[in-house]
Amino acid sequence: MSPRGVATPDVRERLFAAAERVLEKDGPGALTSRAITTEAGCAKGLLHAHFAGLDEFVAELCLDRFARTATKAQALADLAGEGSVTANVDAVALALLDSGGPVIAGVAMTRPASALRVREALEGGAPGFTAIQEAIAGYLETERKLGRVAETVAPGTVALAVVGTAHHLLMTSWPGTPDPRPQLTRLVAALLGPSPEEGRPAL
């Protein structure tokens, strides 16, 4: 427990990680300010000292996880020519669903004030689905020029399909529903198919 008057390092991430654990263990109904701070092992008022309330906290948690995935997507550019194209794209797609993604997004969408804050932030340029889509499209275009993606593959269309499906799964996956990850993995594989290199007969 952090004593009063002592700064808590990385307090946002500490509280975000605690909220994810609460959601994973007990579900959306258990997500309260007290449950989060108890799980984080910090003073009860710490959440409200850094956020206007639980609605703002949930929105910021959702936006933070979107931004993390956007950063991972932008790092795809450094992977051009390395590893499996399908695996590289799949890793980014699945990152949208990781760290309790479906549950976090679901909680945000069921809280009108949180949903509004998330939408306004994304419209204002906060890293989100658009940044992820653009990064995937740019990566696939580079890989196509390298001959590792078939000429028939349309990078922009594939990126839209992947991100659009991830968004759909985030909005429709609730506790108790089947794991959405296998569906997304199958979609990425179907959209990209075997690379030109993989399709060549062995010499």
Side-chain angles (χ1 to χ4, degrees):
M1 186 75 69
S2 299
R4 291 183 179 276
V6 177
T8 305
D10 301 321
V11 64
R12 281 172 57 93
E13 180 53 35
R14 182 175 175 179
L15 291 171
F16 287 164
E20 289 177 329
R21 293 194 297 273
V22 171
L23 288 169
E24 182 179 359
K25 291 189 299 182
D26 303 314
L31 193 69
T32 63
S33 299
R34 180 175 293 274
I36 294 166
T37 52
T38 297
E39 178 66 30
C42 58
K44 299 294 184 260
L46 189 62
L47 187 148
H48 289 279
H50 291 268
F51 301 91
L54 190 58
D55 285 332
E56 180 181 286
F57 173 83
V58 168
E60 291 298 317
L61 169 59
C62 191
L63 289 167
D64 181 84
R65 284 357 188 194
F66 281 161
R68 279 189 174 192
T69 306
T71 298
K72 186 168 186 175
Q74 288 157 358
L76 277 173
D78 298 327
L79 298 178
E82 299 179 8
S84 161
V85 175
T86 300
N88 290 342
V89 173
D90 189 47
V92 170
L94 292 181
L96 273 168
L97 306 182
D98 285 343
S99 298
V103 178
I104 293 170
V107 171
M109 293 306 103
T110 57
R111 303 179 72 94
S114 298
L116 177 62
R117 189 176 183 90
V118 169
R119 185 171 70 249
E120 289 177 343
L122 293 176
E123 290 174 351
F129 293 113
T130 299
I132 296 166
Q133 180 180 329
E134 291 173 349
I136 292 174
Y139 165 71
L140 290 175
E141 183 62 43
T142 300
E143 292 285 28
R144 191 169 66 168
K145 291 177 181 177
L146 294 173
R148 286 170 28 98
V149 170
E151 285 295 326
T152 54
V153 170
T157 301
V158 171
L160 174 61
V162 170
V163 174
T165 300
H167 181 270
H168 168 72
L169 292 172
L170 280 168
M171 297 301 106
T172 58
S173 297
W174 304 95
T177 60
D179 185 351
R181 291 165 179 78
Q183 297 179 68
L184 198 52
T185 293
R186 289 194 295 270
L187 175 75
V188 172
L191 289 170
L192 293 176
S195 70
E197 294 177 346
E198 293 171 340
R200 292 177 189 140
L203 297 178

